[in-house]
Amino acid sequence: MAELHPSAPNHSSNSQRRAITALAITAATLIFLLTGVSLWLSYEHLHDVGARHGFADDPIRAWAWPATLDLFYAVGEVLILRAALARRIDWWAISLVVFGAGGSIALNIAGVGEGAQVLDYVVAAVPPVASLLAFGALMNQLYRLLAPEADPVVTPVVEAQPPAEPAEVTAPVIPPAPVEPPALEQEQQDAAPDPEPIKYSDPRCAVIRALYDQGTRPGTKAMRTALIQAGFGDASDGFIRGTLRAEVERHEPHLAHLPPAPVAFSA
């Protein structure tokens, strides 16, 4: 008997499911918190950059300017999330995230200015980079959640059994076919029905057919002579060749290939 032993458990216990759900909620909460703090720090720094470069006298525009990058980033993240739920890839959304995140990182670093210490550039780059990594971690968990679960592999285990002894196979004996005596074959040939005689539409065709028995194809003169001797009246050359002889050779096409009969020349 073969028993099926699953190589992996089919279902997790209820306690394991609750623990996994709790960890997933905790991770998502921390990711959202990290993303919010990172975006706030990045937005604040970009506001300072805008205030130093063109918006010093207009605080409202200085606060609105970072949104030209961070909103691209936020819109791209929402579209990527929607595409993930639909189980497809949205390259436009990915392009928006790359543009928004790349621009934010570049302007945060450039806003430090020249001659600053390396740590100043690192501090400016950490918030947008952390926001991007947090979103990547969130999408990775979402893709794992939406991925179809593979069926557990079931490996059949077959108990060892002693090899069976080979059965003796005896070939069937086929008797030889009976040999038919030659006399029976001859009787069958003799009993074969004779072919039916050819029925011509004109009785004069039978007179012309007899001339082929000499092994040659009769000419017009010989056929006319035979018809007169048989008691039929004279006929034209075209009728004898094109009608009477043609009907004979239509029934027996091989007669047309016989050599022509020799023509006798009278002195």
Side-chain angles (χ1 to χ4, degrees):
M1 297 283 300
E3 298 180 359
L4 299 180
H5 299 277
S7 58
N10 293 332
H11 302 283
S12 301
S13 62
N14 293 333
S15 60
Q16 289 177 337
R17 291 183 178 179
R18 286 195 296 267
I20 292 174
T21 303
L23 290 175
I25 295 175
T26 302
T29 303
L30 294 176
I31 289 173
F32 280 118
L33 179 63
L34 175 59
T35 302
V37 173
S38 300
L39 287 176
W40 175 67
L41 291 175
S42 175
Y43 197 95
E44 180 74 20
H45 189 260
L46 290 178
H47 161 264
D48 297 341
V49 173
R52 291 196 304 267
H53 299 278
F55 301 122
D57 299 333
D58 194 343
I60 296 178
R61 288 194 293 173
W63 280 107
W65 178 75
T68 57
L69 285 177
D70 289 344
L71 283 182
F72 275 116
Y73 189 13
V75 170
E77 289 182 345
V78 173
L79 293 178
I80 290 178
L81 180 61
R82 186 189 68 172
L85 294 175
R87 299 180 183 274
R88 59 183 181 86
I89 298 177
D90 189 346
W91 291 107
W92 272 105
I94 295 175
S95 301
L96 292 177
V97 170
V98 171
F99 175 77
S104 179
I105 294 171
L107 289 177
N108 272 279
I109 295 175
V112 177
E114 299 180 358
Q117 297 181 2
V118 177
L119 192 58
D120 295 334
Y121 295 106
V122 173
V123 171
V126 164
V129 172
S131 176
L132 182 62
L133 294 178
F135 177 71
L138 177 63
M139 294 306 303
N140 181 50
Q141 295 299 318
L142 182 60
Y143 278 120
R144 288 177 178 271
L145 179 63
L146 296 177
E149 297 182 359
D151 296 333
V153 180
V154 179
T155 305
V157 179
V158 182
E159 297 180 357
Q161 296 181 356
E165 297 182 358
E168 183 178 355
V169 179
T170 304
V173 179
I174 301 176
V179 180
E180 190 176 4
L184 182 58
E185 295 181 359
Q186 186 63 33
E187 291 179 359
Q188 292 179 351
Q189 295 178 0
D190 295 341
D194 295 334
E196 295 182 0
I198 300 174
K199 296 179 180 180
Y200 298 108
S201 61
D202 194 317
R204 289 174 287 185
C205 294
V207 177
I208 295 176
R209 175 60 181 85
L211 300 177
Y212 285 92
D213 294 340
Q214 300 176 7
T216 57
R217 190 178 186 221
T220 306
K221 184 178 180 180
M223 289 188 291
R224 177 180 286 108
T225 303
L227 290 174
I228 295 173
Q229 291 178 356
F232 296 103
D234 193 5
S236 63
D237 294 348
F239 180 79
I240 294 174
R241 291 193 305 267
T243 302
L244 300 180
R245 186 174 67 179
E247 182 178 353
V248 173
E249 294 179 352
R250 186 169 59 251
H251 288 285
E252 298 178 85
H254 65 280
L255 298 178
H257 301 287
L258 295 177
V263 179
F265 296 95
S266 59

